[in-house]
Amino acid sequence: MRSPFIILAAAALLLATGARAQDAQLAAAPTCAERGMQRIAVMVPPGRTADEVRELARGGALAPAGTEVFILPAGHFTRLKNEQLYRERMNRMLQHFLDRGTKVDGNVSILLLLDESGAVAEVHPNTRNRQLDRELLNTWKDLGFEPYVIDGCRVRAYIHVPFAFSSDYGFTRSEIEVKPVPP
């Protein structure tokens, strides 16, 4: 049965295919903290520049002052470890809205903080709709990626996962338009 939602999410494709170059040796690498280094990887959010992100980090907004910041290219995702669970949760979330007669359309970028093991430590959907934010939070909890490895050590990473939601038929009862908001 075809889902009545089309997730045009760059995320769905990127997360499924991801940067699979991370092998078991890199995933088993020590953390940068274990090597005595303060490092973090950051994907530049929509509407910001790499220089702005570096300045935020220098000021201690993303990590302790003095932390070395590595800028990740937009869309540079490591492999999602539990892709099947992600797909099940996303389908359940979208079906939940459909069952209640709610149409969801629009674009959003979800900010995820990954710990050194690649586990999702924080989720910040910020769609301007509490119900959708709560559903997205529940979708991402307990998921994980292969860790980001820089110069042989695993780092925490802030990544932005883009989504575009579009119903493929109309409703009359309720609609949620997802609007991107400044990070």
Side-chain angles (χ1 to χ4, degrees):
M1 179 175 154
R2 190 165 91 92
S3 172
F5 266 97
I6 300 171
I7 304 175
L8 302 172
L13 296 174
L14 292 170
L15 295 174
T17 58
R20 296 182 191 264
Q22 300 284 345
D23 62 9
Q25 285 181 332
L26 290 178
T31 67
C32 290
E34 291 170 341
R35 288 189 172 174
M37 296 180 262
Q38 288 186 349
R39 289 182 170 170
I40 191 165
V42 179
M43 194 174 288
V44 177
R48 297 285 181 133
T49 67
D51 289 338
E52 288 174 323
V53 170
R54 283 189 190 97
E55 190 59 36
L56 281 170
R58 268 194 223 87
L62 299 175
T67 300
E68 193 174 0
V69 178
F70 290 86
I71 301 297
L72 297 170
H76 175 77
F77 299 101
T78 60
R79 188 179 65 80
L80 185 61
K81 290 179 184 178
N82 34 16
E83 182 183 338
Q84 183 62 34
L85 179 60
Y86 162 77
R87 289 186 182 284
E88 289 169 7
R89 286 181 178 178
M90 185 60 79
N91 286 335
R92 188 171 43 244
M93 176 194 73
L94 296 174
Q95 191 60 51
H96 178 78
F97 282 111
L98 287 174
D99 289 346
R100 291 191 340 252
T102 302
K103 174 181 169 183
V104 181
D105 283 310
N107 302 307
V108 66
S109 179
I110 298 171
L111 173 64
L112 301 176
L113 171 59
L114 309 179
D115 67 16
E116 291 89 344
S117 69
V120 175
E122 294 179 20
V123 181
H124 303 279
N126 203 6
T127 65
R128 293 188 180 168
N129 180 285
R130 282 188 205 164
Q131 182 181 9
L132 183 57
D133 283 353
R134 192 171 35 254
E135 294 284 345
L136 287 167
L137 180 72
N138 288 332
T139 297
W140 283 100
K141 71 178 182 183
D142 306 322
L143 294 180
F145 293 79
E146 292 296 327
Y148 281 87
V149 178
I150 297 176
D151 294 334
C153 62
R154 294 177 285 134
V155 298
R156 288 184 309 133
Y158 285 96
I159 63 172
H160 292 270
V161 182
F163 287 91
F165 295 101
S166 179
S167 301
D168 73 338
Y169 62 91
F171 288 95
T172 57
R173 288 195 291 174
S174 178
E175 293 188 22
I176 296 174
E177 183 179 355
V178 179
K179 295 183 179 184
V181 294

